[in-house]
Amino acid sequence: VPIPNLLNPQSKVLFAQNGGQVNRKAVSRSIPQTAWRVLDAPDVNNDYYLNLLDWSVTNFLCVALNTSVFLWNADSGDIMELTEHTSQVGSVQWSPIVPEYVAIGDYDNKVCLWNIEKQSLVRVMSGHTDRVGSLAWNEYILSSGSRSGNIFHHDVRVSDHHVATLVGHDLEVCGLTYSRDGKYLASGGNDNKVMIWTDRETTPVHQLIEHSAAVKALACPPLQRTC
């Protein structure tokens, strides 16, 4: 009996562990050809390196429009202006464990933490020497990436919030994301590099340097603990 070539993409059947054949059923799905909802976004900053949108676990969309930050409630459709900054906004990021908190990075080199339920400014965290264009949360640690190339770790629970500085990128940090277990941070920069950091080191443990342009889009596997 000939052995079937299970690696042949033309094969029409799958073989189960018990040796029996399983018919492959065609699966179809409807792919929308138009947007479900279109929101006006006047004055949105046309800058590739910024991160001006983020969706919360409670179904709020945060949008930065120049110096203003707006919230859209996807359940009710309500729109609210949260704040008007003195400078342009470079990044927004919701807290995953305190869903009413949203962090905002701006061109004044600051990171501001807002409570949307009270519509109040909780605190301002300074220290960067250039605009803050990327943010990422790891429980109560908020990481911020700047055009200076540095990444700061802020512990939002304590008054002396700046607990670490990660030095590695030569140009602007335009993407940040944590692994599911919070032990690894991936950063992408305008220096065309991806760097992997641990929660214990201030220098990268691994670098990817094969890109030929800035790296902004990053994601760690959702079903794995590490990147």
Side-chain angles (χ1 to χ4, degrees):
V1 178
I3 299 176
N5 182 4
L6 301 182
L7 300 180
N8 185 352
Q10 303 302 320
S11 177
K12 300 300 183 182
V13 296
L14 297 176
F15 288 80
Q17 291 181 352
N18 59 8
Q21 294 186 7
V22 179
N23 291 329
R24 175 180 290 168
K25 295 182 179 179
V27 178
S28 62
R29 59 175 178 161
S30 175
I31 300 177
Q33 302 300 310
T34 58
W36 170 70
R37 183 70 59 89
V38 177
L39 303 174
D40 290 332
D43 298 325
V44 65
N45 198 334
N46 185 19
D47 191 324
Y48 169 81
Y49 304 107
L50 305 181
N51 293 272
L52 305 176
L53 298 167
D54 194 41
W55 211 302
S56 78
V57 296
T58 53
N59 219 15
F60 278 86
L61 179 65
C62 183
V63 184
L65 301 178
N66 199 1
T67 60
S68 300
V69 176
F70 288 85
L71 305 177
W72 177 62
N73 186 330
D75 293 328
S76 66
D78 294 337
I79 297 175
M80 176 185 74
E81 183 176 8
L82 178 64
T83 177
E84 177 80 24
H85 271 240
T86 57
S87 70
Q88 293 187 59
V89 174
S91 51
V92 295
Q93 185 77 42
W94 292 97
S95 167
I97 60 173
V98 187
E100 65 269 24
Y101 280 11
V102 62
I104 301 172
D106 63 24
Y107 276 55
D108 282 339
N109 316 334
K110 303 188 305 291
V111 178
C112 301
L113 190 61
W114 280 80
N115 184 321
I116 69 163
E117 290 186 352
K118 298 180 179 179
Q119 297 185 38
S120 62
L121 178 63
V122 177
R123 68 181 305 175
V124 176
M125 294 172 285
S126 304
H128 282 293
T129 58
D130 213 325
R131 72 179 187 183
V132 179
S134 54
L135 298 164
W137 286 91
N138 182 18
E139 295 187 349
Y140 292 100
I141 299 297
L142 175 61
S143 299
S144 57
S146 171
R147 188 158 54 183
S148 68
N150 290 339
I151 301 169
F152 285 3
H153 288 334
H154 311 270
D155 189 334
V156 301
R157 299 169 295 181
V158 298
S159 58
D160 191 9
H161 59 88
H162 185 189
V163 295
T165 301
L166 310 185
V167 179
H169 286 285
D170 300 317
L171 296 173
E172 182 164 17
V173 179
C174 41
L176 291 171
T177 189
Y178 273 96
S179 61
R180 191 164 67 95
D181 62 3
K183 293 183 178 180
Y184 293 92
L185 172 67
S187 62
N190 196 22
D191 54 3
N192 311 343
K193 298 177 182 177
V194 175
M195 298 191 179
I196 307 297
W197 317 75
T198 70
D199 58 353
R200 300 176 181 271
E201 303 291 337
T202 56
T203 55
V205 297
H206 190 66
Q207 297 187 44
L208 302 174
I209 59 174
E210 291 79 12
H211 287 283
S212 58
V215 181
K216 177 183 176 182
L218 298 165
C220 291
L223 300 181
Q224 294 180 199
R225 291 187 176 274
T226 60
C227 288

